[in-house]
Amino acid sequence: MPNSPDLLIAGGGPAGLATAIAAACQGLSVVVTDSHRPSIDKACGEGLMPSAVEALARLGVHPDTTEHTPFRGVRFLDATAPCASAQGLFRSAPGIGIRRTRLHQLLLNRAHSLGVRFHWQTTVHAVENTDDGFIVAHTTAGLFRPRYLAGADGLHSRIRSLIGLEQIPYGRSRIGIRQHYAVVPHTDLVEVYWSPHGQAYVTPISASELCVAFVYRSRPSTRDHLSLFPALEARLCRATPIGVTRGAITLTRSLRQVTRGNIALVGDASGSVDAITGDGLALCFQQALALVQSISVDDLSSYQQAHARISRRPRLMSHLLLLMDRYPALCARVLRAFSRRPSLFPDLLSLHSGEEPLRLLGSGGLLASLLCLLSF
Ligand SMILES: Cc1cc2nc3c(=O)[nH]c(=O)nc-3n(C[C@H](O)[C@H](O)[C@H](O)COP(=O)(O)OP(=O)(O)OC[C@H]3O[C@@H](n4cnc5c(N)ncnc54)[C@H](O)[C@@H]3O)c2cc1C
């Protein structure tokens, strides 16, 4: 029945499309609705961590068919004193920088090839779990009666409020502004410039383009974002800003529960981590795979557990990194400590990217080394 798919997905962003692909790969019939129509753009740093690239490969999505740039690791720099910097390389595979619209098209192509059906400019405005184990979803394109519903409608999820799932915010939300520059990338790392105003994340996304995401605790005093990051301004003095400047909110928050009956939340709708982690897209793809695994065994409680496990590391990392954002004096000391002990940052990057187990933070003495360096 066209209006009774196995899975109805509200939201055709990265989380919704990844869920649709994973479900279609399992032979489920899938319908996706989105309030917008392609191509869907969004303010983003446009960096996929190695774990995101790996999850994409499991979904059968291969970035080789579109323009993108691999990056080998991450470098932190003090935006006011560029000599204070630290860098680490990924030990296993590189990450990739890719324009958000190209990533969206890539996911869309894969979903189309698997027979996923789409209703664009369509919103879900009421949902209910019925006694016979189905869902009734009222949408602007008519009534649907799917077996499962996935809410993949982002940070301000309507599905989340319709089913009354509560959020636990951590700290304040921050403002992100994305700008592309036409310039040959000067690096094959993602660079994060730290200033007392916030951070600028620089990602090479093609042979002739950089993406810069500026992220602030409060509205910046100027639209000349580069002037707040002198070291980056010096780097990009010959670069031309191109395309549309976009803004979005970013925040870290979690939900006690991400399922209700046969309805599950996925991606930013199910809790989020601050953009500073670079992990938002990896979470979307990993959660999508976990959700479909649970649907295929008809047991959403296993998704609840998998979701908690997948989110644990990025959430911890975001708490640690946001301390550096909140206390600029601490941030300057941490960057100096990284410069003094060059092996420290690569070790922390391995923890962040999941190449090493989290317990090494304590038992491997990493935290102790950092605290010891900070006390000088
Ligand atoms: C400044 C910034 C920089 C970032 N940088 C990175 C980075 O470098 N790497 C990384 O991995 N992550 C990054 N992130 C996080 C990443 O962008 C998000 O985690 C990711 O976009 C979440 O995808 P999603 O599909 O859950 O939500 P979204 O991308 O928000 O997609 C939600 C979709 O739902 C649709 N929708 C919304 N409401 C409705 C409705 N009522 N009905 C139907 N459809 C609806 C929207 O049109 C949209 O298509 C960044 C975020 C910000 C703000």
Side-chain angles (χ1 to χ4, degrees):
M1 295 288 288
N3 282 9
S4 299
D6 295 316
L7 175 63
L8 176 67
I9 301 173
L17 292 179
T19 307
I21 293 167
C25 285
Q26 293 287 324
L28 302 180
S29 57
V30 186
V31 171
V32 177
T33 67
D34 195 289
S35 51
H36 290 83
R37 58 169 46 254
S39 91
I40 297 178
D41 197 3
K42 192 190 164 195
C44 184
E46 303 186 338
L48 298 183
M49 295 291 273
S51 52
V53 182
E54 194 249 344
L56 271 184
R58 287 172 62 198
L59 292 164
V61 177
H62 302 288
D64 291 346
T65 53
T66 190
E67 209 165 6
H68 70 283
T69 298
F71 58 86
R72 292 186 305 133
V74 178
R75 179 183 292 136
F76 276 12
L77 301 98
D78 185 331
T80 53
C83 48
S85 74
Q87 74 177 53
L89 303 183
F90 299 124
R91 290 180 185 160
S92 47
I96 63 166
I98 180 168
R99 249 190 205 244
R100 186 71 183 216
T101 44
R102 289 179 196 136
L103 174 65
H104 196 258
Q105 193 57 53
L106 207 56
L107 291 164
L108 211 47
N109 291 347
R110 173 77 172 138
H112 275 303
S113 74
L114 292 164
V116 174
R117 286 179 297 126
F118 289 89
H119 288 273
W120 300 112
Q121 294 181 306
T122 299
T123 50
V124 178
H125 49 83
V127 288
E128 57 194 274
N129 282 291
T130 62
D131 290 342
D132 57 359
F134 281 78
I135 289 167
V136 174
H138 300 263
T139 82
T140 48
L143 197 70
F144 285 82
R145 214 167 172 280
R147 175 92 174 93
Y148 286 96
L149 171 69
D153 48 348
L155 219 51
H156 311 288
S157 171
R158 179 107 181 249
I159 301 296
R160 187 179 58 228
S161 43
L162 284 173
I163 58 174
L165 290 179
E166 175 194 358
Q167 310 169 49
I168 310 165
Y170 168 84
R172 291 173 50 194
S173 59
R174 303 201 299 151
I175 302 165
I177 315 271
R178 180 217 65 198
Q179 177 66 63
H180 292 125
Y181 291 88
V183 65
V184 175
H186 58 274
T187 173
D188 59 359
L189 305 176
V190 164
E191 290 186 335
V192 183
Y193 291 77
W194 293 79
S195 103
H197 303 279
Q199 299 84 48
Y201 319 140
V202 181
T203 311
I205 52 169
S206 78
S208 57
E209 293 164 307
L210 279 180
C211 171
V212 183
F214 302 95
V215 183
Y216 305 105
R217 279 184 302 283
S218 53
R219 187 179 283 276
S221 52
T222 171
R223 283 188 179 190
D224 181 7
H225 300 288
L226 283 179
S227 67
L228 303 175
F229 300 89
L232 179 59
E233 187 176 37
R235 269 271 175 223
L236 298 186
C237 59
R238 279 196 242 290
T240 316
I242 47 167
V244 185
T245 307
R246 282 195 182 273
I249 293 296
T250 177
L251 81 160
T252 297
R253 55 122 198 250
S254 56
L255 272 68
R256 285 203 180 87
Q257 221 181 307
V258 292
T259 64
R260 179 148 289 166
N262 280 5
I263 304 175
L265 301 175
V266 63
D268 278 5
S270 69
S272 53
V273 288
D274 188 279
I276 184 80
T277 60
D279 273 328
L281 292 164
L283 282 176
C284 288
F285 304 149
Q286 291 167 347
Q287 289 163 3
L289 286 158
L291 173 57
V292 171
Q293 173 70 30
S294 301
I295 289 176
S296 63
V297 294
D298 218 5
D299 171 21
L300 282 194
S301 65
S302 59
Y303 174 59
Q304 178 73 47
Q305 288 157 16
H307 190 281
R309 181 176 34 76
I310 291 166
S311 315
R312 194 169 301 132
R313 179 191 302 262
R315 197 167 304 136
L316 173 68
M317 288 300 165
S318 91
H319 292 344
L320 293 176
L321 289 163
L322 285 172
L323 282 177
M324 287 174 66
D325 171 70
R326 202 171 315 145
Y327 302 107
L330 171 71
C331 176
R333 291 183 77 142
V334 170
L335 291 176
R336 279 199 301 274
F338 284 155
S339 301
R340 272 206 300 277
R341 177 87 61 84
S343 66
L344 203 51
F345 187 79
D347 286 346
L348 286 168
L349 181 66
S350 303
L351 286 186
H352 183 135
S353 60
E355 289 163 331
E356 295 290 349
L358 259 190
R359 65 188 142 72
L360 278 193
L361 191 59
S363 65
L366 276 178
L367 206 52
S369 309
L370 184 58
L371 291 174
C372 177
L373 278 167
L374 286 178
S375 63
F376 280 105

